[in-house]
Amino acid sequence: MTSLPVDAIKALADQHPKPPNVVFQYGTAGFRTLGHALDPVMFRVGILAALRSKRLDGKTIGVMVTASHNPEPDNGVKLVDPRGEMLEAAWEAHATNLANAPTTDALIVALEALVQNLRIDLSKPARVVYARDTRPSGPALIASLEDGFKAMGAEARNAGVTTTPVLHYLVKAINTKGTKDSYGDDSEEGYLQKLSTAFKKLVAGKPAIPPLVIDCANGVGAILAEKLAKHLGDTIPLILQNTAIDTLGALNNACGADYVKTSQKLPPSLSSVLKPGQRACSLDGDADRLIYYYLDDRGQFHMLDGDKIAALVAAFIVDLTKSAGLDDQIQVGIVQTAYANGGSTKYLSERLPVKCVPTGVKHLHHAAEHYDIGVYFEANGHGTVLFSPDTLEKLSTYQPSTPAQSTALNHLINLTNVINQTVGDALSDMLLVEVVLAHRSYTGVEWDSLYVDLPNRLVKVVVADRNLFKTEDAERRLVSPPGLQAKLDELVRRYEGGRAFVRPSGTEDVVRVYAEAAVRAQADELAFRVAGLVYDEVGGDPAKRPS
Ligand code: G16
């Protein structure tokens, strides 16, 4: 192919027309909206993925169809770049542009401009791998995506129904296959083998691990968790809950990581299952977020969120680098967002370099790449640990001088395999947490006591136009609507230990408000007062005014 296959594109594009008066936007995690609205977007994303692959010399690009933690009627799509990381930011604008071309002719014009401006060599091959979660709207959307691949003559590999992190893993495994950087066998089985083998080595010789309850959010994580449980055997007994992937309306409904994090309580379905002191965790709808929790002896709920995971894991890795004699050569750093609890930021920044970036895995991932070992977690449980290429090289060539150094070095090497370094991965993170708990002999109680969380509250505000909200300083301050930040500052000053910020969501049509304060009632009051200020400033549906 030396020019765009215009006829093929036209013929198929006419089957996926864009409705007028709808504006699509490639946001925090790709396109996300009601599933039935996404048909034209899928077709165009299929074309774009093929062009991205051609631009990158035929490297395989990933496409994941999911709306993750969002309600079941939503769906979405995001592109994954060759190393398994999120799509390069500049291409997000191209995706938005193509998705909004009003007619087939306008789409062709936009595609021709893209090919010319980016000097895409159309004679290169186009290779893609794609997957979807369990949402009912998935199969139809996949068919539309496949039309996009077909129009471009792309070599497309269907990875079926699997988790977002598996898709990211596959992309990296395919692109590194047969090279010295091979990431593992390019199959779901290869992924499960890699994680479970490393986990078994890491906990070998440790006391038996007590059973762990997993809330699978009634999503695709249930399928993978079941396969993982088989690979792990007796090493760690997994008790799978909320596995109803075929029950309409069950996905993320009163369960899953987002439910637990936002409502700060146990999924009701677990109340008769979880025993005091027992560890449990929740995945989200595509298994890229993880939140732990336990009930204390009085039955009180304690949440161990992404911040607590970061603290647990970072301290463990630092100790291993010290024990291996590598602490002067390997620097561990942390990346958080404005949602990180003030308690965690204080705890971590007293020990390690900490950077704050805007919401979205892509921002955290890139910032973490600047450290030798970068630990990044969003408070919502989305995160992973990155080992830089230099660090991986050091670990593979370092000569330990004592048996203790050698053991620590082996642990570090095994950690690089149990951790999915392409993206946040609930199941991989779960194994990582279990490794640390086993090595530290911690229950949830000791882990929880690393630092005390400041009471906090997250509130959604439905406004007429969330695009009116613009932020700066890693989303910690508003620059628009003008004057609103000054009002927030004035309000926050009245609360002891008060902190609050407002930002537009990139995945839902809402504005998010986060507030924390020294005591619970004050954090709640601050959040709702800020939400009220936001609402009054820009207006919206009176029935939806926060109260
Ligand atoms: C996605 C992103 C996360 C982000 C979350 C919420 O998560 O990957 O980085 O924290 O959306 O984003 P926002 O507040 O902009 O709506 P997921 O799990 O839904 O893919």
Side-chain angles (χ1 to χ4, degrees):
M1 180 189 303
T2 50
S3 59
L4 268 181
V6 172
D7 292 343
I9 296 175
K10 273 189 176 166
L12 287 161
D14 285 342
Q15 296 174 29
H16 304 285
K18 177 185 176 290
N21 309 324
V22 189
V23 180
F24 298 109
Q25 197 177 342
Y26 198 101
T28 314
F31 293 104
R32 244 182 233 187
T33 184
L34 283 169
H36 65 70
L38 279 166
D39 178 80
V41 174
M42 291 292 160
F43 174 69
R44 293 152 191 232
V45 165
I47 297 178
L48 187 72
L51 287 174
R52 177 90 184 132
S53 173
K54 284 177 183 286
R55 179 69 184 86
L56 299 177
D57 227 1
K59 292 240 165 49
T60 296
I61 298 296
V63 185
M64 183 69 202
V65 177
T66 178
S68 193
H69 70 282
N70 289 36
E72 187 171 291
D74 285 7
N75 215 326
V77 60
K78 63 182 163 195
L79 294 176
V80 178
D81 262 355
R83 286 184 300 134
E85 76 280 32
M86 300 291 187
L87 176 69
E88 183 187 298
W91 277 63
E92 294 181 3
H94 306 323
T96 300
N97 194 25
L98 290 188
N100 290 305
T103 59
T104 297
D105 286 343
L107 176 63
I108 301 287
V109 171
L111 285 169
E112 276 170 343
L114 191 65
V115 169
Q116 199 175 10
N117 294 341
L118 300 178
R119 295 200 187 86
I120 298 174
D121 180 351
L122 293 169
S123 68
K124 298 278 175 173
R127 298 191 181 99
V128 293
V129 56
Y130 60 104
R132 67 171 174 94
D133 68 16
T134 54
R135 276 161 213 270
S137 57
L141 296 178
I142 287 284
S144 166
L145 180 72
E146 285 169 337
D147 275 353
F149 299 150
K150 197 161 34 157
M152 290 298 293
E155 211 180 284
R157 170 170 161 186
N158 186 351
V161 176
T162 195
T163 67
T164 297
V166 166
L167 192 268
H168 283 254
Y169 166 91
L170 287 176
V171 172
K172 186 162 182 171
I174 292 169
N175 285 310
T176 55
K177 198 172 181 168
T179 72
K180 68 168 180 40
D181 300 322
S182 169
Y183 197 58
D185 186 66
D186 60 329
S187 64
E188 200 181 75
E189 180 60 23
Y191 162 90
L192 292 164
Q193 276 286 352
K194 181 173 174 175
L195 265 57
S196 56
T197 307
F199 179 76
K200 285 178 188 165
K201 287 185 189 165
L202 280 158
V203 298
K206 300 287 167 202
I209 301 176
L212 170 68
V213 174
I214 308 179
D215 156 24
C216 300
N218 295 314
V220 66
I223 302 174
L224 259 286
E226 198 182 325
K227 293 178 185 172
L228 182 65
K230 290 204 179 98
H231 278 79
L232 295 168
D234 296 341
T235 330
I236 172 170
L238 302 178
I239 302 170
L240 306 188
Q241 296 291 314
N242 296 326
T243 57
I245 54 172
D246 295 321
T247 305
L248 275 184
L251 178 69
N252 295 329
N253 191 353
C255 61
D258 197 59
Y259 172 87
V260 174
K261 174 64 183 161
T262 312
S263 61
Q264 306 185 22
K265 56 184 188 210
L266 195 67
S269 50
L270 260 56
S271 55
S272 57
V273 176
L274 201 61
K275 302 187 194 91
Q278 187 172 21
R279 296 148 7 277
C281 61
S282 285
L283 322 178
D284 71 341
D286 63 342
D288 59 4
R289 296 194 198 177
L290 178 73
I291 300 283
Y292 263 74
Y293 40 91
Y294 68 95
L295 300 175
D296 65 20
D297 294 341
R298 289 175 298 136
Q300 205 178 333
F301 173 78
H302 294 259
M303 181 165 63
L304 298 151
D305 65 1
D307 298 335
K308 284 262 154 107
I309 297 175
L312 179 79
V313 165
F316 180 64
I317 294 177
V318 167
D319 285 354
L320 284 181
T321 59
K322 279 186 191 142
S323 309
L326 280 165
D327 50 323
D328 56 340
Q329 297 179 49
I330 294 179
Q331 190 196 37
V332 182
I334 306 277
V335 186
Q336 299 187 315
T337 72
Y339 290 112
N341 192 280
S344 82
T345 308
K346 182 169 180 299
Y347 172 85
L348 286 164
S349 51
E350 283 165 4
R351 292 160 174 81
L352 292 164
V354 177
K355 194 166 165 32
C356 181
V357 300
T359 301
V361 167
K362 60 187 176 201
H363 299 295
L364 289 114
H365 197 92
H366 287 142
E369 283 177 328
H370 293 293
Y371 295 117
D372 299 324
I373 299 179
V375 178
Y376 76 79
F377 274 92
E378 293 183 291
N380 63 24
H382 212 147
T384 187
V385 181
L386 300 184
F387 294 76
S388 73
D390 275 1
T391 303
L392 290 174
E393 177 72 20
K394 242 172 232 160
L395 295 179
S396 67
T397 53
Y398 179 66
Q399 297 292 334
S401 31
T402 65
Q405 284 193 350
S406 172
T407 304
L409 177 68
N410 277 332
H411 289 334
L412 281 168
I413 292 170
N414 287 325
L415 282 183
T416 67
N417 290 320
V418 90
I419 295 167
N420 183 346
Q421 294 180 54
T422 61
V423 77
D425 179 337
L427 293 174
S428 154
D429 290 338
M430 178 190 86
L431 295 180
L432 173 61
V433 164
E434 291 299 322
V435 165
V436 185
L437 296 180
H439 277 250
R440 299 285 208 213
S441 304
Y442 278 0
T443 65
V445 180
E446 290 85 19
W447 175 12
D448 199 17
S449 66
L450 288 179
Y451 64 84
V452 178
D453 270 323
L454 282 170
N456 60 90
R457 180 66 56 200
L458 186 60
V459 180
K460 287 183 199 181
V461 191
V462 180
V463 296
D465 182 7
R466 72 179 147 138
N467 293 315
L468 291 174
F469 291 78
K470 304 260 183 281
T471 61
E472 62 177 3
D473 188 21
E475 301 182 321
R476 289 174 288 196
R477 296 188 65 78
L478 275 175
V479 287
S480 167
L484 185 53
Q485 185 61 47
K487 290 183 189 162
L488 294 185
D489 290 344
E490 171 55 30
L491 186 60
V492 169
R493 253 196 298 279
R494 295 187 226 153
Y495 291 81
E496 194 199 332
R499 181 171 77 91
F501 64 89
V502 174
R503 58 174 285 277
S505 161
T507 61
E508 289 174 76
D509 204 7
V510 297
V511 167
R512 299 201 198 280
V513 170
Y514 174 88
E516 61 187 31
V519 288
R520 154 71 41 221
Q522 298 268 292
D524 291 345
E525 183 183 298
L526 179 57
F528 283 101
R529 291 187 69 178
V530 172
L533 264 186
V534 167
Y535 186 87
D536 292 342
E537 187 75 20
V538 294
D541 181 350
K544 294 180 176 159
R545 190 183 192 284
S547 58

